[in-house]
Amino acid sequence: MYSRVFIFVLCIQMCLFYKIREKKRVCVIGAGIAGLSSARYLKEEGIDFVVFEATKYIGGTWRYDPRVGTDENGLPLHTSMYKHLHTNLPKPTMELRGFPLPDGIPSFPSWKIYYDYLKDYAKHFDIEKYIQFRHNVTLVRREQNVWKVTHEHVITGEVFEENYDYVIVGNGHFSTPNMPNIRGEKLFKGTIIHSHDYRVPDVYKDRRVLVVGAGPSGMDIGLDVAECSKSLLHSHHSKVNFRTPFPPHYVRKPDVKEFNETGVIFVDGTYEEIDDVIYCTGFQYDYPFLDKTCGLDIDPHSVVPLYKYMVNIRQPSMVILGLVVRACLVVALDAQARYATALIKGNFTLPSEAEMMDEWQRRADAIRSKGLRMSHIHTLAEKEDEYYAELSEQSGIERVPPVMFKIRAMDIEAKLENLYTYRHYVYKVIDDNTFVRTLEKEQINDTLVI
């Protein structure tokens, strides 16, 4: 008969064995906002994780680099920052949970201020020691019920492969340009770049510039270049009613039909001579390290199928953060990182694959029924606050206050009113549902209690 001591020791050993087996290991890809947020929450919950970052910096696209093309290690430059960029959303919607932006900074801070904020965030939460810098993830595959992650040291060329229970993909999707294919482009003798490579307006001084695209970067870069260009032609088909009083040398044009050596013909038959073109035509979804075993269908305009806009339905131990559009992206990233951490910790259980697929299919069918492209599968827009409520209800994470969506809605109206002045407004949160908007110079208050 076994002694009590022997049985006690055996029980301890078995407990330790199962504890080791149950210990979850997480791979986080990228040290931008998504990666830093994930690292913070995983650390707070005592979950074993590592962050792989291909560069020697944190901050992802928020770090300005005057270079274009590739970095010192031959890797494509990830950042799309330009010298005069300021956030296009106000301070409250750019703050990461529990870590406010400093007092006294502009309501729409510059990239430099915001990048410093991210560095302070990493320092405050002691995140950097969990980041393996200069490690570029080259392959993620599913094999024998684990994630096999291959990464390469960009200096030494040494290749590593490790096993993980969960993968959080947080490397963003603002670095692979979506380039249009316009007839005759190769004939054009001027310069053509994508907004990803736009840095300063000075090179366009006294030149005839064509900007293509009317998304946030198209409008912002267009006005930035117009400050010094001889003329600014803006080609787009947006139905948004911008009421901005544009300068006389800013001319709205329809879509480009074709190029010739010295200019472009537009679809309305008009012709304009130009010197330079800046394509502000967005970015493609590009995750070359995810192989077919991941179970995702990835094309330049969508990543599917995803539950709650982020969970890989076919392999739910993989979460892709930050794919939502038309939302307070920083707020959304923070909420998604908290949801992913709660999932990994086991605070809640996902529905079955069939149930998750059914929910996703309903969204996809609704998009197709409206004649929209599948890229709209990532759009939140007016459903943003509802989305935050769903994440909290399911996972138990603290709810994103409704006031964030309300601020974004008013900010959209301010942009429609005047793209030159919308950054003059200061937004101050009063409580979860209320904010005060102040016109910086005139101190006019609009208090919203909803």
Side-chain angles (χ1 to χ4, degrees), residues 344-355:
I344 293 167
K345 190 181 179 186
N347 290 353
F348 71 101
T349 302
L350 291 170
S352 68
E353 179 178 334
E355 290 171 315

Side-chain angles (χ1 to χ4, degrees), residues 59-69 76-86 111 171-178 193-200 216-218 220-221 224 278-284:
T61 195
W62 283 98
R63 185 186 68 84
Y64 175 78
D65 193 318
R67 300 171 297 177
V68 298
L77 280 164
H78 188 77
T79 180
S80 297
M81 284 296 104
Y82 42 96
K83 186 176 181 180
H84 296 158
L85 183 139
H86 285 245
W111 70 264
N171 62 312
H173 57 93
F174 297 110
S175 58
T176 302
N178 181 47
I193 68 166
H194 188 271
S195 62
H196 176 62
D197 292 330
Y198 175 76
R199 295 294 184 265
V200 295
S217 64
D220 206 45
I221 290 173
D224 197 33
I278 305 174
Y279 285 138
C280 298
T281 45
F283 296 86
Q284 296 183 355

